[in-house]
Amino acid sequence: MITFLLLSLLCHSSQDGDTGEQVVLHCGPKNLKLKLLKSCDQTLEATWEDDPSCSAVEEELVYQLLVLVGDEQVHHDLVTVTPEQIGSSHLWTWTSHVTLECDSPSVILSVRYRNYTSPRRQEGTVPGMTNCKDPEVYPRDQVFEVGSRATFCCVLPAGGTFTHMDLVGYNRSDGNITQINNQTYSLTLVLNQPSSPSGTDVICEATIQHRQTDNGATAFIGYPPDDKELQCETRDLKSVECHWTVGRDTHLLRPTGYQLVGSAYKCRPGTCWGEEDVSTGERSWKLRAHNELGTVELTDTADLMTRVHMWAPESVTAWTVNPRDVSLKWSWKVQGYKDLNITCEVNLSHAGTQKPNSGVGLDFAVLMNLIPNWSYNVTVRCRTTQHFWKWSNWSSTFNFRTKGDVPDALDVWMKMKDNEISIIWKILLEKQSHGHVLDYTVTWSKIKGTEQHNTTTVTHNHFPLRLDTTQQYVVNVTARNVNGSSSPSTIITPSSSSAGLNSSRVKASRMAGGGGGFNLSWSSSPAASCGYIVDWRPSSDHSMVTWIKVPQTNVFLKNLREGQRYSMSISACTRGAALLLETREGYVQEQRIQGDLFKALKWKQKGSDVEVSWDRISLKEQTAFIQGYVLEWSDTDGQDNNVSTDEPTSTSLTASDLKTSSYTFTVTARTALGGCCSEHLTVHVNPRTDTLIRTVVISLVAVFSLLTLVSVVCYRQWACIKQKVYPPIPRPQLTDTWLKSTGEHRLHVDPGPSEVDIAPPLLCKPGVQVNQPPPNLTPPPRSGLPSSLFRGAFQNLSYDLMMQTEDQQPPTPPLHLAQEQPGSHMTCDLTYILVPQPTSHEHLTNISDTETS
């Protein structure tokens, strides 16, 4: 290759004219020297001088340089030398994209004058690498752009054996290793990821004199600058600030440098600043960003008076503070702002950004519709109105608290259970109470009628009313704090004749929730003149009622617990009492019931049946809808049977037609999630002796009851029974009138209950008549005898009455019996009848006197 080039130069020079030929044949380079400036830059430097014969040249000379690596030309360059420079030393440098240390390059230097090339030339070779003890990796500390293709080489000491070469952080399969000569190997790969600012290492492993060793070099892989969007502005109306968007991280050890061309501005990444007259109208700025991999230039043009970026307002404070409004004021850091048309915004905590105000030198604002007795934080920012550029930063925060006021009106509702009505209202939030609520006043009266209003004061948020449920009432509730009472909140109670709010009259439909709540929707009602009221509560707790008033026919109830059954009702808001439309119940998410569900599980045998019962399961324990129960049983023979019910409120199930044996009973609750909470019970069924026992018991109870009844009746009617069965016999008594009278003799009988001593009974014999009186005995008149004593016992009884003194023994009177008459009923053998003894001595005396007379 070199021979061909030399022949070409000689042939070309032979065609030149005589004058040029003479010049070129004597002029040429001398003292060519080559060296590598910096390994990291891969820069080749060549120096040479002109041959003295070149001084005769009257025009410029052109030196040609050819760079070869091995037999391959890798670079070509021309250097022009003017007549004034002829005779001096010349310098040429070249930065290679390949690693020059890996293979010593050579340079061929020749000269051309006009169209003639001198045959005189010089060649030089870059000095070879010194022999080291360890492998050397090149290039060292080279900067590469991400995405570029790079070649690294490893030069081994004499006698060394190459093992491997790679770039840390890359797979070995990413690179291509090539042997350049006996001592040099190269690694070529695409650098597709940036290094850290401290670089990444290229490692070469080799075996030198039977020992393993490695060495390496550092490579810096990064990005050129990519800053953008330069904008210049003024803040104080006397200086300029230029800002731009800083590009991505370059990952290089040396940071990107910035310069605002044509100015003495100070710069740092993202901003440059300096003093300048801002009233000169429109002007331009140029920013240059540079690093080892490239340069970026950004430009901007503007009139700075249209780019006033104001400083934030200072010393924000309150001028006046009222319950529902406040006046703010502030000051400016730059006096020149007082001449600008300014627009300001106020950011108020709990209220957001207020409507902006505008004005020349604006330094105040009035805030309306504030919450009384409430703490606020406020900040302010401003901008120019005519030429809007940028908002200022927000000012420092100013805190203030508004004055107190009366409470807001209460949100009132009611709950009904059976015929009881409780008025309830929501506890006012702090931003609604405007101070501590002292108490609540409840006033109620009938809608119809002119009766006086009833009023009471309570400290809690509910009040039960015991009203005439057939009437409608107007109820007003107010809240009171130290500033006064709120405006009244009115609700009308329904009467018992209307549907009202009694949810027990409307069957609840089931619904499922999701997403942490219930998505309710319902049909519109023509009665809903002021919207709808939706209330909900845990089904197991009637006191925890929550409600919401909405104008539409749908609402999402959120933040509810899973596994908790909720009862919901939807009512129409009317001008009168609210009208209940629907009731619903359901779970946001049913959960499997845990724990012991069947409390006090017990059994009872009824003949050949066994009833298994349990306590009623409370709603609080039901984390899912119970759809019924199943009773399963198996005997010792392993035969299984079951009975079930779909009634969730059941508390018993009965197994029928069981034989005498031992059984294992299992009770299970059925839910949409499957059976749960099974409980077991072992039962021994006895023989069927219950019928006999029942018969005996019933008989004993019947007899005992009958005896008890008879005893009670007899005890209560004993006097009557004694009168009928064993009536008292009256004691006969002779009066002095009957004994003294010759014409009439009367026998008086004492009606008292005293007993009568009766002689041996009358002996009645057949054939003896008793209807004839005996001789010598005159019967007393019939009217003198009590009819009740003898009626029905004797008819026409005649007997001899003989009177004697106490000490006499009465003789046995002979009875002169009549002969038996045919047709007579019976014959009595009357022995005697003793006259009752006198009850007093006086009476006996009277009798004796009578006998004597």
Side-chain angles (χ1 to χ4, degrees):
M1 180 67 180
I2 298 174
T3 304
F4 175 75
L5 292 173
L6 293 175
L7 291 174
S8 298
L9 291 173
L10 290 174
C11 294
H12 182 71
S13 63
S14 64
Q15 298 175 3
D16 295 337
D18 294 339
T19 304
E21 182 180 359
Q22 295 295 324
V23 175
V24 172
L25 288 174
H26 296 87
C27 180
K30 68 175 184 178
N31 299 329
L32 175 63
K33 297 178 181 180
L34 301 174
K35 68 177 181 178
L36 291 176
L37 291 180
K38 294 181 179 179
S39 174
C40 62
D41 288 337
Q42 294 294 296
T43 300
L44 176 63
E45 179 184 271
T47 58
W48 71 93
E49 297 175 355
D50 300 316
D51 188 84
S53 62
C54 294
S55 60
V57 176
E58 298 178 353
E59 298 180 15
E60 60 184 19
L61 295 174
V62 178
Y63 285 96
Q64 178 178 264
L65 296 100
L66 298 177
V67 182
L68 297 89
V69 176
D71 292 336
E72 182 180 358
Q73 178 181 326
V74 296
H75 187 63
H76 172 266
D77 203 358
L78 299 175
V79 176
T80 301
V81 178
T82 63
E84 294 80 11
Q85 296 173 330
I86 294 175
S88 61
S89 179
H90 307 298
L91 174 65
W92 171 82
T93 59
W94 170 65
T95 300
S96 173
H97 66 281
V98 297
T99 307
L100 299 179
E101 294 93 342
C102 296
D103 195 1
S104 300
S106 59
V107 176
I108 299 175
L109 179 61
S110 60
V111 66
R112 188 175 64 191
Y113 173 69
R114 294 181 183 173
N115 293 325
Y116 306 100
T117 301
S118 172
R120 298 182 62 179
R121 64 182 180 81
Q122 280 200 314
E123 294 184 25
T125 302
V126 177
M129 307 307 301
T130 59
N131 194 6
C132 300
K133 295 181 180 180
D134 295 317
E136 297 290 338
V137 178
Y138 301 98
R140 295 176 179 173
D141 301 329
Q142 179 75 28
V143 178
F144 300 93
E145 184 175 354
V146 175
S148 64
R149 187 180 183 86
T151 298
F152 303 91
C153 68
C154 177
V155 180
L156 303 178
T161 303
F162 177 79
T163 301
H164 193 74
M165 186 177 182
D166 59 12
L167 181 63
V168 175
Y170 287 76
N171 294 326
R172 292 193 171 187
S173 59
D174 294 339
N176 182 25
I177 298 177
T178 304
Q179 182 177 0
I180 297 176
N181 53 47
N182 291 336
Q183 290 183 267
T184 306
Y185 292 82
S186 66
L187 170 65
T188 303
L189 73 170
V190 177
L191 306 175
N192 54 17
Q193 62 187 32
S195 66
S196 65
S198 60
T200 187
D201 294 332
V202 183
I203 305 298
C204 179
E205 301 174 1
T207 303
I208 301 174
Q209 295 180 358
H210 305 289
R211 65 181 177 88
Q212 293 291 330
T213 185
D214 60 51
N215 202 357
T218 301
F220 298 92
I221 308 169
Y223 301 97
D226 65 340
D227 301 70
K228 51 186 175 294
E229 298 176 357
L230 175 67
Q231 291 182 338
C232 295
E233 63 187 14
T234 182
R235 307 204 70 171
D236 57 6
L237 306 179
K238 296 185 295 185
S239 62
V240 179
E241 291 184 7
C242 293
H243 304 275
W244 64 91
T245 303
V246 178
R248 62 191 171 189
D249 184 6
T250 62
H251 292 269
L252 299 181
L253 182 62
R254 296 182 181 88
T256 302
Y258 297 96
Q259 179 186 10
L260 206 58
V261 179
S263 71
Y265 289 6
K266 296 179 181 180
C267 296
R268 62 187 179 193
T271 181
C272 291
W273 65 96
E275 298 290 332
E276 189 171 337
D277 184 4
V278 301
S279 61
T280 57
E282 188 176 280
R283 59 154 299 180
S284 297
W285 298 267
K286 179 184 288 187
L287 175 71
R288 180 176 291 135
H290 173 75
N291 70 7
E292 297 168 283
L293 294 176
T295 300
V296 172
E297 290 186 350
L298 306 176
T299 60
D300 184 33
T301 301
D303 179 356
L304 290 178
M305 291 306 296
T306 64
R307 291 188 176 182
V308 180
H309 185 190
M310 301 181 65
W311 292 106
E314 295 182 334
S315 304
V316 179
T317 186
W319 193 356
T320 58
V321 178
N322 298 313
R324 300 180 184 272
D325 61 79
V326 65
S327 297
L328 301 177
K329 64 178 180 178
W330 56 85
S331 60
W332 294 113
K333 178 179 180 180
V334 178
Q335 294 299 317
Y337 290 174
K338 295 183 178 180
D339 300 325
L340 300 179
N341 193 357
I342 299 172
T343 298
C344 295
E345 281 186 346
V346 177
N347 185 39
L348 191 65
S349 60
H350 312 292
T353 303
Q354 302 293 297
K355 182 179 179 181
N357 297 324
S358 300
V360 176
L362 185 67
D363 60 357
F364 72 94
V366 177
L367 306 181
M368 308 293 292
N369 302 319
L370 303 183
I371 301 172
N373 194 43
W374 194 254
S375 295
Y376 286 97
N377 302 325
V378 64
T379 56
V380 184
R381 70 175 182 177
C382 302
R383 63 173 175 83
T384 55
T385 305
Q386 184 176 0
H387 303 287
F388 170 66
W389 175 236
K390 294 178 181 178
W391 284 105
S392 71
N393 294 333
W394 289 103
S395 68
S396 58
T397 302
F398 171 66
N399 304 321
F400 66 93
R401 189 177 186 87
T402 54
K403 294 182 179 180
D405 201 351
V406 298
D408 290 348
L410 295 168
D411 186 356
V412 180
W413 187 230
M414 71 181 81
K415 58 181 180 181
M416 298 186 63
K417 186 177 181 181
D418 299 329
N419 291 325
E420 296 181 359
I421 299 177
S422 289
I423 306 300
I424 55 178
W425 54 90
K426 293 182 179 179
I427 297 294
L428 292 174
L429 302 176
E430 185 180 356
K431 64 181 180 180
Q432 298 171 322
S433 63
H434 313 323
H436 176 66
V437 174
L438 301 175
D439 51 43
Y440 305 91
T441 300
V442 182
T443 303
W444 67 97
S445 63
K446 291 182 180 180
I447 289 183
K448 297 180 180 180
T450 58
E451 70 174 22
Q452 187 177 2
H453 288 25
N454 299 286
T455 301
T456 188
T457 300
V458 296
T459 57
H460 40 265
N461 68 322
H462 60 89
F463 182 70
L465 289 176
R466 294 175 176 83
L467 305 175
D468 181 0
T469 56
T470 63
Q471 300 290 326
Q472 288 187 332
Y473 287 78
V474 178
V475 183
N476 292 320
V477 186
T478 60
R480 183 177 68 91
N481 63 13
V482 294
N483 300 299
S485 297
S486 67
S487 57
S489 298
T490 302
I491 192 169
I492 298 177
T493 65
S495 63
S496 57
S497 60
S498 63
L501 299 175
N502 198 336
S503 58
S504 62
R505 301 182 181 179
V506 180
K507 185 177 180 180
S509 59
R510 289 187 179 182
M511 68 172 300
F518 293 98
N519 191 5
L520 298 179
S521 60
W522 58 91
S523 300
S524 60
S525 171
S529 60
C530 50
Y532 301 88
I533 304 100
V534 180
D535 64 40
W536 65 98
R537 61 171 176 81
S539 299
S540 59
D541 192 344
H542 290 269
S543 63
M544 297 180 61
V545 180
T546 308
W547 66 92
I548 186 173
K549 299 176 181 178
V550 295
Q552 69 278 0
T553 58
N554 60 81
V555 68
F556 182 71
L557 307 180
K558 58 183 179 179
N559 299 328
L560 302 181
R561 289 176 49 197
E562 296 183 354
Q564 170 72 65
R565 185 185 298 187
Y566 288 92
S567 298
M568 295 152 279
S569 65
I570 303 167
S571 305
C573 175
T574 70
R575 294 182 179 180
L579 178 64
L580 180 63
L581 302 178
E582 297 181 32
T583 61
R584 302 180 187 180
E585 64 176 357
Y587 294 85
V588 173
Q589 180 68 49
E590 290 186 83
Q591 294 181 343
R592 188 173 183 84
I593 301 176
Q594 304 293 333
D596 298 332
L597 189 63
F598 298 98
K599 303 292 191 303
L601 192 65
K602 51 186 176 293
W603 65 279
K604 180 170 61 176
Q605 181 177 348
K606 298 179 179 179
S608 61
D609 300 341
V610 171
E611 180 188 63
V612 178
S613 61
W614 55 90
D615 291 346
R616 183 178 294 274
I617 299 172
S618 66
L619 293 176
K620 195 171 185 179
E621 297 177 280
Q622 300 182 35
T623 57
F625 281 116
I626 293 179
Q627 299 174 347
Y629 303 93
V630 178
L631 176 64
E632 300 174 297
W633 66 91
S634 60
D635 57 16
T636 55
D637 296 335
Q639 295 183 354
D640 296 332
N641 292 280
N642 66 81
V643 65
S644 63
T645 178
D646 294 333
E647 179 54 52
T649 59
S650 293
T651 57
S652 66
L653 284 170
T654 300
S656 303
D657 300 328
L658 301 181
K659 300 178 181 178
T660 302
S661 180
S662 292
Y663 292 86
T664 299
F665 290 90
T666 302
V667 183
T668 304
R670 291 190 294 109
T671 70
L673 304 176
C676 71
C677 311
S678 298
E679 290 289 339
H680 306 284
L681 192 66
T682 300
V683 175
H684 182 75
V685 178
N686 297 317
R688 302 180 182 179
T689 59
D690 57 318
T691 303
L692 177 61
I693 294 173
R694 185 167 56 251
T695 303
V696 172
V697 170
I698 292 174
S699 300
L700 291 176
V701 171
V703 171
F704 179 78
S705 300
L706 181 60
L707 291 176
T708 302
L709 179 62
V710 170
S711 300
V712 171
V713 172
C714 291
Y715 177 78
R716 291 185 177 182
Q717 304 295 329
W718 176 248
C720 179
I721 294 173
K722 184 178 180 181
Q723 180 69 28
K724 294 293 186 181
V725 176
Y726 184 58
I729 300 174
R731 184 184 302 271
Q733 186 172 344
L734 296 176
T735 63
D736 54 355
T737 306
W738 178 70
L739 293 176
K740 291 180 179 182
S741 174
T742 56
E744 287 184 353
H745 299 277
R746 297 179 180 179
L747 180 63
H748 293 268
V749 181
D750 187 359
S754 60
E755 298 181 357
V756 179
D757 293 332
I758 303 177
L762 294 177
L763 300 178
C764 298
K765 297 180 180 179
V768 181
Q769 294 184 351
V770 294
N771 55 353
Q772 294 293 329
N776 304 324
L777 180 63
T778 302
R782 187 177 182 89
S783 59
L785 295 175
S787 62
S788 63
L789 178 62
F790 300 102
R791 184 179 301 167
F794 299 98
Q795 293 182 359
N796 299 322
L797 179 62
S798 299
Y799 56 88
D800 294 333
L801 179 64
M802 298 181 64
M803 308 302 297
Q804 64 182 10
T805 61
E806 277 184 345
D807 54 350
Q808 289 180 338
Q809 294 293 329
T812 303
L815 294 176
H816 300 278
L817 301 175
Q819 293 182 354
E820 182 178 345
Q821 297 294 329
S824 63
H825 296 283
M826 63 178 297
T827 301
C828 293
D829 185 5
L830 302 177
T831 304
Y832 59 88
I833 296 176
L834 290 181
V835 175
Q837 295 297 322
T839 59
S840 64
H841 180 74
E842 181 182 358
H843 189 69
L844 292 176
T845 303
N846 294 332
I847 295 177
S848 299
D849 295 340
T850 304
E851 289 179 348
T852 302
S853 60

